[in-house]
Amino acid sequence: MDVVEVTEGKTRFFVPRQDPHLQFPPGSGPVFYNSRMELNRDATVLLLSVLRPGSYLDAMGASGVRGLRVAHEVGIPVTINDRSATAVNLIRQNVEALGLTAEITREDANALMSSRKFDAVDLDPFGTPAPFVDSAARSAGPYLFVTATDTAPLCGAHLKAGMRRYFSRPRNTEYHAEVGLRTLLGFVVREVIKYDRGVEPLFCYAHEHFHRLHLRLRDGAAAADRTLARLGYVMQCPHCFYRSEQAGMLPEPEECALCGADLVPVGPLWTGGINDDRTLLEMQEALTAVTAGTGSRIARLLETCRLELETSSHYDYHVIAKSLRVSPGGIGTVIERLSALGYRASRAHYSGTAIKTDAPLPVLEKVISGG
């Protein structure tokens, strides 16, 4: 195998040489490695440096980079698994070159997670994590991390695929990134609570082509019931920008308060908070001690997430301005004016034109139009 040396964080490792002329170079190597996921891995290393679980499973290692970095940079016991013999050989070479004592296994991920327990289980598949979440929910101790890169099904662009994989009906709205993140979280929650375990989101975000969840799991039926209460729907008007939120397993019929149309349910999905402020603060404080190539981007992400409202949707103020045929001011000005009127308002971490607010839609439209 023709390999090249790569450095992420403090870790140097070898990956297969990729063909840069292809549309998706990571797919050209015999073992998968995607350099565009560096922020995802940097953030996980940072979070684990705060949480410090007693054991960690990289369930689908591929090149092994995630597990290698956790073992080398955080110093916690790591198991790196892949079912490919080629991948396992590369992982073993990288572990030996770094002088690590990480455990390397070659098993089907579901079989491994069905037979062993780990303090933290990390799912980072190519595409959907849906086939692996049930076994991960049984394997994970206090922490479960999940990445999904099938953003089109999650966001409603590929509706039938989203319904098959996540047992939800997403809708391709202007806040589709939020829908995708909360659809994924809602699916993971439903897989966890059937085992009388609750879920507490620590750090969940949408970025470019992926959604990422970092979750704390709590044992007990009471914790599961508290989690269940946060499942619900965004009720979207099909004719205007109005939307509301509903809690519950099944949506109740509701009419648009502005135009009277029947609202369309989006979900079920997670309607609670997606971040834990104390955890984000600890990550901010620890960031200076962690070597992260995407450190400045993570710093901005953490700050925005700490300020972000917990609403399950946002308004794209450019889309609203276009509908009103006005030229909008800066997003900061719109947020300041909403705050001055006594409403809460914030940016959303995944879009530069997204506004989260508890202001009624007519108020927001008036602010955007300069009235």
Side-chain angles (χ1 to χ4, degrees):
M1 186 191 310
D2 186 14
V3 297
V4 295
E5 189 174 52
V6 176
T7 300
E8 280 189 18
K10 297 179 180 178
T11 306
R12 300 172 67 182
F13 54 96
F14 292 95
V15 298
R17 189 180 299 276
Q18 299 175 358
D19 186 346
H21 300 101
L22 296 179
Q23 184 177 2
F24 186 60
S28 64
V31 178
F32 189 81
Y33 167 72
N34 190 352
S35 61
R36 290 182 60 196
M37 296 295 276
E38 183 177 3
L39 181 142
N40 184 314
R41 293 184 286 265
D42 280 348
T44 298
V45 168
L46 174 61
L47 177 59
L48 286 170
S49 74
V50 170
L51 300 178
R52 304 203 68 82
S55 58
Y56 170 86
L57 170 66
D58 181 358
M60 299 159 212
S63 66
V65 54
R66 190 180 296 270
L68 291 169
R69 291 195 57 190
V70 172
H72 188 234
E73 299 175 40
V74 185
I76 59 178
V78 165
T79 298
I80 308 175
N81 177 70
D82 202 280
R83 66 180 181 180
S84 162
T86 304
V88 166
N89 288 335
L90 179 61
I91 293 167
R92 185 171 288 112
Q93 293 172 23
N94 279 321
V95 166
E96 292 174 354
L98 288 165
L100 301 175
T101 56
E103 178 186 16
I104 306 167
T105 57
R106 183 192 169 194
E107 296 189 45
D108 176 270
N110 277 325
L112 174 62
M113 292 186 291
S114 294
S115 62
R116 293 181 58 181
K117 301 284 189 180
F118 302 89
D119 280 358
V121 170
D122 201 326
L123 300 180
D124 183 24
F126 180 78
T128 178
F132 307 98
V133 176
D134 176 74
S135 56
R138 289 182 278 111
S139 179
Y143 304 111
L144 174 60
F145 305 156
V146 181
T147 296
T149 57
D150 58 332
T151 53
L154 279 166
C155 296
H158 295 167
L159 178 60
K160 290 184 178 180
M163 293 171 66
R164 287 195 310 270
R165 294 173 187 173
Y166 300 104
F167 305 106
S168 178
R169 189 179 180 90
R171 183 178 173 87
N172 193 14
T173 65
E174 73 271 14
Y175 51 92
H176 56 82
E178 189 87 30
V179 168
L181 184 62
R182 290 178 178 275
T183 297
L184 176 64
L185 182 48
F187 171 75
V188 173
V189 160
R190 294 196 302 278
E191 292 289 85
V192 171
I193 61 176
K194 65 189 180 186
Y195 296 112
D196 286 345
R197 306 188 76 191
V199 174
E200 297 176 358
L202 297 177
F203 177 38
C204 304
Y205 63 96
H207 182 75
E208 294 182 347
H209 65 289
F210 69 86
H211 300 293
R212 178 68 168 170
L213 311 178
H214 300 97
L215 310 172
R216 178 185 285 121
L217 307 186
R218 299 288 193 185
D219 292 334
D225 287 342
R226 289 193 298 270
T227 301
L228 176 61
R230 303 319 301 265
L231 292 177
Y233 295 81
V234 175
M235 304 296 290
Q236 176 64 53
C237 180
H239 302 309
C240 73
F241 295 115
Y242 179 85
R243 78 287 306 260
S244 65
E245 293 185 22
Q246 278 190 19
M249 292 296 293
L250 296 174
E252 297 292 336
E254 186 178 342
E255 292 185 353
C256 176
L258 300 181
C259 69
D262 291 335
L263 299 186
V264 177
V266 182
L269 43 69
W270 177 258
T271 62
I274 59 173
N275 290 299
D276 176 67
D277 188 67
R278 180 174 179 178
T279 299
L280 299 192
L281 175 59
E282 291 177 350
M283 291 175 69
Q284 286 179 315
E285 293 172 346
L287 183 56
T288 56
V290 172
T291 300
T294 63
S296 60
R297 293 158 63 192
I298 290 177
R300 292 193 298 271
L301 175 62
L302 291 172
E303 184 62 24
T304 304
C305 286
R306 290 193 65 197
L307 297 173
E308 186 174 316
L309 297 186
E310 294 183 354
T311 59
S312 299
S313 67
H314 75 258
Y315 296 97
D316 189 312
Y317 85 113
H318 276 187
V319 173
I320 292 178
K322 183 178 180 180
S323 73
L324 297 172
R325 298 182 179 180
V326 298
S327 179
I331 188 170
T333 301
V334 175
I335 290 174
E336 288 174 2
R337 291 195 63 193
L338 288 169
S339 299
L341 292 172
Y343 299 102
R344 296 188 303 153
S346 75
R347 296 173 180 263
H349 68 272
Y350 45 74
S351 171
T353 59
I355 294 178
K356 290 191 167 190
T357 183
D358 58 3
L361 179 58
V363 173
L364 177 59
E365 290 177 331
K366 185 176 181 180
V367 168
I368 290 174
S369 64

